[in-house]
């Protein structure tokens, strides 16, 4: 089968690698340039969305900030999974919050702001401290403000007002959640409504960007997360891999956000799970049976941010796998990731301590916890 991916970044690249053994051939559509490209080499192989769709059996996406006209063309083709509404939901925090309420899954109390009067109501209903997030276009902690005390209202409002000059934009005010940790659940749902989820992963962020992701073994929390995942996926009649990010507050889960696609916190599945998230996404959208999501060995994923070289000796470390994305170096950019696996948890900890010694502390600040 031929699968067209909207977006030509690392997620399309890893889908291509995962699809090859099943004879699933992936092409990527660069939404910004309108070019059809090879997802591994970035070679230009054609032009135009209609043309790209005509040559594909299935259309899917690797990101959610896609112009509506592009989504409409894909939707009309009848080949698009998880489909326009799911992508719009992931790309607009207003729609996302409405979905979470409809699915009756717990999420942070919120209020939508379009003007100063709304901001004042938000302060009353949500309370201070609060987190303010642009409804459109925000990711990796960008487009956010923290209102810590009443005295900061005017200065934050002047920045928000500038943002709201775009009439399509809105700001979602959220109560500040005093979480113990952040976890995410990545899973797949197929057209028959079958659901397979991976173990919950605990995520560490550095300056708003994911730096470490490690599957955890917590049966109770896993069950709660799975129920919430199933409620959200069923409410959307979702087909494909879906990621849900949660705040863990003393064992209670609140949904932070959803991503209607394969997700950075699921990259550990390439070495740590029976079937990786990229293969399972392709299986789901191509109407194939889902693969086992079982953890096969303790694994930790370390993001490579803003670096394009690593000490060669890493390749000698048993269970250490480097995945480069073939991108030009830029400060803070996701350039690749390292998956480290071991037979048992204590051995994984030992390997992570070794890696923390070898990796540059400034480039991998999150690794200091393993020293
Ligand atoms: P987001 O882009 O919504 O994932 O937010 C980026 C990061 O900001 C999250 O990973 C959290 O660490 C933090 N954050 C987001 N929303 C809240 C909230 N309501 N309360 C506390 N921290 C938050």
């Amino acid at each position: 089968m031929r699968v067209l991916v909207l977006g030509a970044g690392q997620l399309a690249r890893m889908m291509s690698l995962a699809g090859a053994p099943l004879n699933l051939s992936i092409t990527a559509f660069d939404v910004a340039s309108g070019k059809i490209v090879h997802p591994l080499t970035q070679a230009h192989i054609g032009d135009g969305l209609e043309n790209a769709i005509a040559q594909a059996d299935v259309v899917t996406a690797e990101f959610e900030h896609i112009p509506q006209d592009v989504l409409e063309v894909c939707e009309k083709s009848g080949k698009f999974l998880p489909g326009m509404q799911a992508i719009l939901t992931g790309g607009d925090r207003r729609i996302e919050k409405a979905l979470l309420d409809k699915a009756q899954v717990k999420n942070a109390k919120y209020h939508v702001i379009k003007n100063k009067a709304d901001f004042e109501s938000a302060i009353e209903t949500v309370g201070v401290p609060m987190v303010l997030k642009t409804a459109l276009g925000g990711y990796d902690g960008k487009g956010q403000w923290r209102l810590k005390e009443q005295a900061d209202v005017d200065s934050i409002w002047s920045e928000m007002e500038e943002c709201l000059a775009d009439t399509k934009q809105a700001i979602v005010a959220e109560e500040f959640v005093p979480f113990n940790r952040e976890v995410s659940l990545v899973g797949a749902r197929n057209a028959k409504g079958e659901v397979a989820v991976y173990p919950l992963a605990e995520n560490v962020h550095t300056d708003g960007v994911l730096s470490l992701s490690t599957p955890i073994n917590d049966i109770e929390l896993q069950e709660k997360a799975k129920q919430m995942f199933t409620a959200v996926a069923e409410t959307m009649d979702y087909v494909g891999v879906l990621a849900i990010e949660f705040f863990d507050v003393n064992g209670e889960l609140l949904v932070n956000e959803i991503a209607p696609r394969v997700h950075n916190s699921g990259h550990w599945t390439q070495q740590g799970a029976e079937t990786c998230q990229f293969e399972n996404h392709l299986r789901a959208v191509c109407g194939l049976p889902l693969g086992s999501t079982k953890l096969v060995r303790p694994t930790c994923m370390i993001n490579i941010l803003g670096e394009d070289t690593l000490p060669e000796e890493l390749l000698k470390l048993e269970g250490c796998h480097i995945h480069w994305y073939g991108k030009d170096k830029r400060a803070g950019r996701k350039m690749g990731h390292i998956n480290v696996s071991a037979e048992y948890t204590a051995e994984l900890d030992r390997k992570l301590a070794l890696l923390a010694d070898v990796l540059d502390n400034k480039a991998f600040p999150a690794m200091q916890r393993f020293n």
Side-chain angles (χ1 to χ4, degrees):
M1 281 181 99
R2 300 161 306 168
V3 180
L4 176 71
V5 181
L6 301 179
Q10 67 265 26
L11 302 180
R13 175 187 177 97
M14 289 185 276
M15 279 189 228
S16 173
L17 292 168
L22 291 178
N23 268 351
L24 301 172
S25 122
I26 315 299
T27 47
F29 181 72
D30 183 336
V31 175
S33 68
K35 286 183 179 154
I36 309 166
V37 300
H38 189 282
L40 297 178
T41 62
Q42 297 292 315
H44 180 194
I45 50 181
D47 291 287
L49 181 59
E50 306 264 8
N51 190 14
I53 294 173
Q55 291 168 37
D57 302 301
V58 176
V59 181
T60 190
E62 65 149 19
F63 73 123
E64 50 273 28
H65 301 297
I66 299 172
Q68 181 137 358
D69 55 333
V70 171
L71 293 176
E72 277 165 6
V73 173
C74 294
E75 189 75 0
K76 252 196 223 145
S77 73
K79 301 176 182 178
F80 192 26
L81 287 169
M84 179 163 90
Q85 197 50 39
I87 301 297
L88 288 173
T89 306
D92 186 330
R93 293 191 193 270
R94 288 164 291 192
I95 309 176
E96 184 181 43
K97 282 290 198 182
L99 165 78
L100 298 176
D101 291 343
K102 191 173 169 200
Q104 297 185 310
V105 294
K106 279 193 199 153
N107 59 94
K109 202 197 294 175
Y110 71 100
H111 193 85
V112 177
I113 300 174
K114 288 289 285 179
N115 53 45
K116 186 79 192 276
D118 294 336
F119 190 22
E120 278 152 15
S121 318
I123 292 168
E124 242 169 62
T125 55
V126 170
V128 179
M130 68 163 78
V131 181
L132 296 138
K133 305 177 181 181
T134 54
L136 303 170
Y139 64 95
D140 285 347
K142 292 183 181 72
Q144 293 194 8
W145 299 266
R146 300 276 189 278
L147 177 62
K148 292 190 179 133
E149 49 190 16
Q150 200 80 25
D152 300 332
V153 166
D154 289 342
S155 63
I156 289 188
W157 171 248
S158 66
E159 285 181 32
M160 283 166 50
E161 199 174 21
E162 236 174 77
C163 199
L164 290 169
D166 173 358
T167 55
K168 285 198 193 125
Q169 188 59 280
I171 286 162
V172 176
E174 254 181 35
E175 66 174 321
F176 181 84
V177 179
F179 57 82
N180 306 96
R181 59 177 176 178
E182 293 182 81
V183 296
S184 60
L185 193 72
V186 173
R189 183 176 183 269
N190 65 15
K192 288 187 192 154
E194 292 162 346
V195 168
V197 300
Y198 292 97
L200 270 168
E202 179 172 349
N203 301 322
V204 176
H205 295 86
T206 309
D207 298 329
V209 181
L210 184 70
S211 43
L212 299 174
S213 196
T214 316
I216 55 173
N217 181 12
D218 183 327
I219 295 168
E220 226 174 281
L221 213 59
Q222 179 78 23
E223 195 45 46
K224 283 182 193 169
K226 186 177 178 183
Q227 278 176 17
M228 292 163 90
F229 180 98
T230 306
V232 170
E234 278 177 2
T235 304
M236 286 195 282
D237 196 16
Y238 191 89
V239 176
V241 160
L242 169 74
I244 305 191
E245 295 183 56
F246 300 95
F247 298 126
D248 176 359
V249 189
N250 303 323
E252 282 307 316
L253 293 178
L254 286 185
V255 174
N256 173 26
E257 60 181 7
I258 68 162
R261 54 174 168 80
V262 287
H263 192 253
N264 198 169
S265 70
H267 290 1
W268 65 267
T269 62
Q270 290 170 309
Q271 265 73 44
E274 179 84 32
T275 315
C276 77
Q277 63 163 348
F278 304 100
E279 182 176 333
N280 255 337
H281 180 70
L282 294 171
R283 287 183 184 222
V285 299
C286 291
L288 299 170
L290 299 178
S292 163
T293 49
K294 194 170 164 256
L295 180 87
V296 288
R297 59 186 80 86
T299 300
C300 174
M301 192 255 359
I302 303 156
N303 261 347
I304 307 169
L305 303 170
E307 296 292 314
D308 62 355
T309 49
L310 285 176
E312 233 172 53
E313 59 192 286
L314 286 194
L315 292 171
K316 289 190 203 154
L317 182 67
E318 201 184 302
C320 180
H321 293 262
I322 302 176
H323 300 258
W324 289 112
Y325 305 155
K327 292 195 213 167
D328 293 332
K329 183 173 171 171
R330 212 190 300 139
R333 192 175 199 194
K334 287 180 180 170
M335 301 292 291
H337 64 273
I338 306 169
N339 282 338
V340 195
S341 300
E343 289 301 310
Y344 46 90
T345 312
E347 191 196 344
L348 180 61
D349 291 343
R350 190 183 55 76
K351 286 185 180 176
L352 288 167
L354 268 175
L355 268 180
D357 277 344
V358 175
L359 294 171
D360 177 1
N361 274 359
K362 275 199 215 106
F364 294 89
M367 293 300 288
Q368 284 168 23
R369 71 192 52 231
F370 302 118
N371 277 131

